[in-house]
Amino acid sequence: MVSQSKAIVLKRFPYGDTSIIAKCFVRDKGKLSFIVHGARRKKSPKSAHFQPSNCLDLVFYYKPSRNLQTVSKSSYSATWNKIPQDFKKISYAMALVELSDKCLTENDPNIELYDELFRALQTIENNTKNDNMVFWFFQYQVLSKLGFKPDFSQADINNHPLPNPYKSANSKMVFECFEKNESYLEKNLRLTPEDRHAISNYLNSCLRIHLEGLNKLKSLQFIKQTLN
């Protein structure tokens, strides 16, 4: 069956001499793996299309019983100009798609989470600072959209202790913004190292408890090592 949908590329790796296999978050079908024939040929536009964090319009042959779907046509549904020029933005964009890849299962649609990922990438592209805040808000949305919305009054989850989400001066204000789905970037918060640690530690703890096998993201580790 021929299908058409928007998709965000999560990862890719070579297959054979000229092709690639790409994992994509397809808006109306969830995470799917595609074989993209000829994508490694020099003149093929598909090589540029299927880079992680790219947003595409895809036409593909879909069979639920297959592990690999076949791409027929691809084109950009949105393009990023600032992200590829900024190391920090690239790293956070990679962290967004890496987290998405780890928390999604094959053939399990989640349109709301797809839209949140697209908005997060769009915000990384357009904002001038606080990319880390964009990533934290997306972590919160991942938990919420997968049925694990944080309850900040809880001290533990299934006997797994949680860090204090309000440990620092501004962390409570940030999480209150998240709960109200407000434009957290417009508040122009000046966060301290203690704020950043409290926010990230709480969200990462929740994700590790609820999503088995979700350890530290390589993209974020790379940011820390490089910027330090």
Side-chain angles (χ1 to χ4, degrees):
M1 179 178 69
V2 177
S3 296
Q4 185 170 359
S5 182
K6 294 187 181 300
I8 297 172
V9 183
L10 301 176
K11 64 168 58 172
R12 60 177 275 169
F13 48 92
Y15 182 80
D17 293 331
T18 61
S19 302
I20 63 168
I21 290 175
K23 284 189 178 181
C24 298
F25 189 178
V26 181
R27 188 173 188 270
D28 58 357
K29 296 189 183 300
K31 185 166 72 170
L32 295 178
S33 295
F34 294 92
I35 183 166
V36 189
H37 294 293
R40 295 172 65 199
R41 294 194 178 105
K42 291 182 179 179
K43 295 183 179 180
S44 173
K46 291 178 181 177
S47 179
H49 290 169
F50 287 89
Q51 299 290 341
S53 83
N54 279 356
C55 299
L56 305 175
D57 285 315
L58 290 183
V59 178
F60 56 97
Y61 301 102
Y62 178 69
K63 286 190 177 181
S65 58
R66 285 184 178 176
N67 292 327
L68 285 176
Q69 313 303 324
T70 304
V71 172
S72 173
K73 296 180 182 178
S74 61
S75 59
Y76 294 112
S77 64
T79 56
W80 312 133
N81 297 314
K82 297 176 184 175
I83 290 176
Q85 306 300 322
D86 187 304
F87 167 77
K88 193 173 181 181
K89 289 185 179 295
I90 292 171
S91 300
Y92 274 108
M94 292 301 100
L96 288 168
V97 298
E98 185 183 352
L99 175 58
S100 300
D101 183 40
K102 288 180 179 293
C103 73
L104 293 169
T105 55
E106 298 279 343
N107 294 288
D108 186 13
N110 193 322
I111 291 175
E112 288 186 345
L113 189 55
Y114 177 94
D115 291 343
E116 290 295 342
L117 176 58
F118 177 75
R119 276 193 288 268
L121 289 168
Q122 203 169 39
T123 306
I124 292 285
E125 166 73 11
N126 293 324
N127 83 86
T128 56
K129 56 184 177 180
N130 290 334
D131 293 331
N132 53 348
M133 188 79 81
V134 181
F135 181 72
W136 292 331
F137 184 68
F138 182 70
Q139 286 183 304
Y140 178 85
Q141 292 296 332
V142 166
L143 289 164
S144 299
K145 303 304 182 189
L146 296 181
F148 309 120
K149 186 176 181 178
D151 180 349
F152 297 111
S153 67
Q154 283 184 309
D156 66 86
I157 299 174
N158 299 327
N159 296 320
H160 294 281
L162 286 171
N164 180 3
Y166 303 151
K167 187 176 181 179
S168 68
N170 292 310
S171 59
K172 183 176 182 179
M173 188 183 301
V174 169
F175 284 133
E176 285 176 347
C177 287
F178 288 1
E179 287 186 294
K180 296 174 184 177
N181 205 30
E182 291 182 349
S183 182
Y184 45 91
L185 289 174
E186 291 179 2
K187 292 191 176 295
N188 199 25
L189 298 176
R190 299 184 67 175
L191 300 181
T192 66
E194 290 75 19
D195 294 327
R196 291 191 287 272
H197 180 265
I199 296 165
S200 62
N201 192 31
Y202 179 81
L203 291 169
N204 288 329
S205 296
C206 290
L207 286 164
R208 284 194 295 268
I209 291 170
H210 288 300
L211 300 171
E212 187 177 352
L214 186 63
N215 296 316
K216 292 181 179 180
L217 299 179
K218 293 180 180 178
S219 305
L220 292 185
Q221 290 297 103
F222 185 66
I223 293 173
K224 290 178 182 178
Q225 292 171 4
T226 305
L227 293 184
N228 287 339

